[in-house]
Amino acid sequence: MAEEQTKTPVETTTEGEAPVEETTPATEVPTDKAEKTEESVPVKEEGDKKEEAMEGTEATPAEPVDLKAKIAGIDALRKLFIGGLNKETTEESLKEFFSQFGEIAECTVIKDPNKISRGFGFITFQTVEEVDKCLESKSGLTLDERQIEVKRAIPKDGQGAAKSLRVYLGRVKEGITEENVKEYFEKNFPCSVESVELMKERAEGLPEGQEPRLRGFGFVTFDNSDTVDKVIIIRNHEINGVTITVNKAEPKSRNPGGGRGGWGGRGGFSGRGGYGGGYGGYGGYQRGGFRGGFNSNNPNNFGRYRPY
């Protein structure tokens, strides 16, 4: 099936508001002889297509993964987007304010060519635990007489921030149950899992006594957006000896073209570019959006991270 992507114009926002994404990937509801029961479809990343042939097959036990060590090694989980800043807030005052939550590794206030603050910036902590501590207290934070906005900074090629509490599970194989999925997420993340759906074949036409097989994908709904962002950034999760992928699930209504369309999205956390060389792509924040790549030598050059 030919794949297409639907571009949507960058929406303008007033200063201090969270931006929208530059593009909305076109979406496609997976189809086969089974009934279509999904309410959401995923943003599929490049490389996932190579894995489709393996989905729904018997699981091959993977080597145990130290999740805590894995999380500690993901740089994106140490970075926060700070919005709604007073124009007079400096990097020094921003760093001093957030030092109450932990040790600051990097602090940046984004400025225009005239060296005037654009009203947002980024904070990078030394550890993921310090970020989590800060996010627990994010409501009602005030700096320089302005209430500020604190969110995870999502890499541009990490699909952007989640707009719902529902995520898509890929590479789901036999050997995983809905109970396994619920237990894994509630044990390792500060959340309550509201629902788990592992999609199966239709039972009609199967020999008597034969259970429907998994179709290779499913959906999980959480109770908070921070957990959604975190599990999407981590992306690969080992559950009951099987490594599955977690992507953002887009409601079908987000596809303005309707009907056919590509999975959209390209990137993930391996592949071209890595995290070296600066922040990256703050697409669509305030009027006109920003493109390019940010680094300390050129504060007007943006690249792989963007606020939302």
Side-chain angles (χ1 to χ4, degrees), residues 114-165:
N114 296 318
K115 307 298 182 181
I116 298 175
S117 171
R118 293 187 184 273
F120 71 98
F122 295 86
I123 289 285
T124 302
F125 284 96
Q126 288 288 357
T127 68
V128 176
E129 289 78 11
E130 291 167 335
V131 170
D132 293 339
K133 178 182 177 182
C134 179
L135 288 172
E136 290 174 0
S137 306
K138 66 180 182 179
S139 299
L141 289 179
T142 302
L143 173 61
D144 294 334
E145 301 181 348
R146 290 285 298 271
Q147 185 168 326
I148 58 177
E149 179 184 25
V150 181
K151 297 182 178 180
R152 290 191 186 277
I154 307 297
K156 183 178 180 180
D157 57 4
Q159 312 171 60
K163 302 303 181 184
S164 75
L165 301 179

Side-chain angles (χ1 to χ4, degrees), residues 18-21 151 159-166 225 228-229 232 248-251 254 307-308:
V20 297
E21 300 175 1
K151 297 182 178 180
Q159 312 171 60
K163 302 303 181 184
S164 75
L165 301 179
R166 186 176 174 88
S225 59
V228 173
D229 288 341
I232 287 174
K248 178 172 60 174
E250 293 280 11
R254 291 289 301 277
Y308 51 92

